[in-house]
Structure formats: C-alpha cells, structure tokens
Amino acid sequence: MMIFVTALYAQPANGQASSSGNTADSEGTTAGALVSRPPQVWADAAVAHELKVIDDDGTQPLRFRVHKIDAKSDTVRVEVETKLGAVARLVERNGRPLTVAEDLAEQERLRGVMGRPEEFVRHHKRDAGTRQDTIELVKLMPRAMLFTYAAGQPQWKGFAGQQVSIDFRPNPAFHPPSMAADMLTGLEGRLWIDARSGRMVRVEARVLKPVSFGWGIVGKIYPGGTLALEQANPAGERWVYSNLDMHLNMRVVVKSLAMNDRMVASDFEALPGPVSMQDAVQMLLAMHVPTR
C-alpha cells in the first residue's frame, strides 16, 4: 500500500492546453516561456527531484509534528529524523493531550527503543525495501504517463511561487514490466511544479480503472479513488511531504475496505545533523509534553 501511495504522490503530471497571460515569476520568466518547452521536460525534472526526496538519507535532518487520521486513530506525534529513520513521540490522541499514565508509557517505550537499537535497525531495513520498490516505480512514470499542460495554467493557492501545472494520463503504449507497475496504467491527475526549482508542489490523482496487485488475487483498488499530496520546502534544499489526503475503496485478499487517511506535517525545524537514533530519543524525552 505504501508503494501505491508514494507512487501516486511522486507522479509527474500531464495536462492540456496553454498558459493564460504573461505573468512573470520571481526571476522574470513569463508564463508563456515556462510552457514553451515540452511538458515531458518538467515531468522528467520533477521525477528526478522526487527520487531524492524518497531516498533522502537524513543528512539534513528535521524535527516536526505529524497529525495522522485514519479509520483506527487520530494521533499527533513529534518526529526527529535520523540516518536510520525517524523516531517519534506520541503527544496527542483523538484531539486531546495524553494522560499522565499514557505519557509515562510513551517515555518508557522510547527508552526501550534506545535500549534495543537492533530492533530499530531491523524495522527501518524493512522500510528501506519498500523505499527501493517505490523508487523503481517512480522511475517508470515518465514512460508510463502522457503529459500535457493544464488549460489556463491554474495555480495552487497553497504555494507562494509561480507553478507549472501539468496533467497526466496513462500512456497506452506503456507495457508494465512487473505486476507492481500495473498500477501505473490506471491513474490520471494533475501535478503542480514550482517553476523556480522544478520541485513538485502538489499532485492530485484519481483511479480510472481497477488497479490490481498480483493479478487481482492479492488485492484490487477500485475506480473513483482519489489522492492529493503536497510538499513543502522547510530548509535549504530539503523538500518533504507535508499533506496527504487519500480516499480509496479496495479489496485486500477477501476483505473489502475503505481507506480515508489524512496526514499533515508542520512546525518543521532544521537540526544540525546528522542525528543518531540515541540523540533523537534524548531530544524527544527532553520535550515538555502537556498532559491531562
């Protein structure tokens, strides 16, 4: 599932039509000039940048808050990035601070992480495997999609800089080299790219047709599902996923379920890195966390 999500939000977009007007960006480039080159050029650049985001090694670490809502929980955690992966401390549940007992249990869990580093490494090695699968899918996107400029070049209001908006749809000439790559044949949507940096700002995707896993035996995602994902630039060259809103109807083996997940990351703080797992735990334990 994570592979599917990452593939969706890393999508380079497509589009159709031309720009409207001659609005200039911060460097004096007109909107007309921005769409004078083939949209595939923007898509290729966005994918190249996205690969760096997915495979970030934590050299320029961040501390930030993550609010996640899904069918089972509504939680807020503070995360600290390390070269091995992120370490997190739970600070809220269901819109309320933790109780004193819950917070003490969370502190004890973090001390356990520090005392059993081999488990932390093992957990993030599994993440690394998923990351590599995702990278392979993202690399296929420039071939799997057809790209056109979005009519009128609509701008995403959540980002201050000028953007290039591109629509994407499946390329009928694309032949998926693997079962996982089949999912790329059932998606369409729009991508907003920062005109200055070439980075993806927002992507909106929807499922056009059933997307199968393992020839449909393992699972299937049904048409009509949607996903929106945004990125932020909190420090230097670092771009991170800051907002995810996903609504999917799917079947996993014999169980049907609706996935309506939301993630918002905020309060980014650049750290003088790199940060070790032990240092990250100490930072989190030293935080003042309000309780009830």
Side-chain angles (χ1 to χ4, degrees), residues 26 200 212:
S26 59
M200 186 268 285
S212 298

Side-chain angles (χ1 to χ4, degrees), residues 84-98:
L84 295 176
V87 183
R89 179 174 177 177
L90 180 66
V91 296
E92 292 182 17
R93 181 181 283 118
N94 298 324
R96 303 178 67 186
L98 302 183

Side-chain angles (χ1 to χ4, degrees), residues 8 14 42 64 75 92 119 130 137 141 144 169-171 185 193 211 218 229 236 243 250 257 263 283:
L8 275 174
N14 46 75
W42 288 104
F64 51 93
T75 60
E92 292 182 17
E119 292 186 14
T130 299
L137 282 180
M141 288 174 187
R169 67 183 187 278
N171 181 355
T185 67
I193 300 172
V211 176
V218 176
L229 184 134
N243 198 319
M250 56 190 300
L257 55 95
M263 182 280 292
M283 287 182 198

Side-chain angles (χ1 to χ4, degrees), residues 117-174:
E118 69 283 353
E119 292 186 14
F120 182 81
V121 171
R122 186 161 53 247
H123 171 76
H124 286 287
K125 278 185 177 178
R126 292 196 298 269
D127 289 347
T130 299
R131 184 182 302 113
Q132 191 57 45
D133 292 340
T134 300
I135 287 171
E136 294 307 313
L137 282 180
V138 172
K139 286 180 178 178
L140 291 172
M141 288 174 187
R143 288 195 288 125
M145 302 295 173
L146 296 177
F147 307 98
T148 54
Y149 286 113
Q153 284 297 284
Q155 302 290 287
W156 175 245
K157 295 181 179 179
F159 185 78
Q162 186 174 5
Q163 308 131 45
V164 176
S165 49
I166 303 174
D167 293 328
F168 59 89
R169 67 183 187 278
N171 181 355
F174 174 69

Side-chain angles (χ1 to χ4, degrees), residues 182-241:
D182 284 343
M183 68 182 68
L184 300 180
T185 67
L187 306 172
E188 71 171 8
R190 177 167 293 171
L191 178 73
W192 286 262
I193 300 172
D194 175 27
R196 182 186 61 80
S197 67
R199 300 276 190 160
M200 186 268 285
V201 172
R202 178 178 171 88
V203 61
E204 294 177 357
R206 53 196 164 274
V207 183
L208 287 173
K209 66 177 186 178
V211 176
S212 298
F213 299 88
W215 296 293
I217 298 172
V218 176
K220 179 179 290 187
I221 298 174
Y222 297 105
T226 62
L227 178 142
L229 184 134
E230 297 171 25
Q231 286 191 149
N233 177 210
E237 293 300 312
R238 281 298 309 275
W239 285 72
V240 296
Y241 303 116

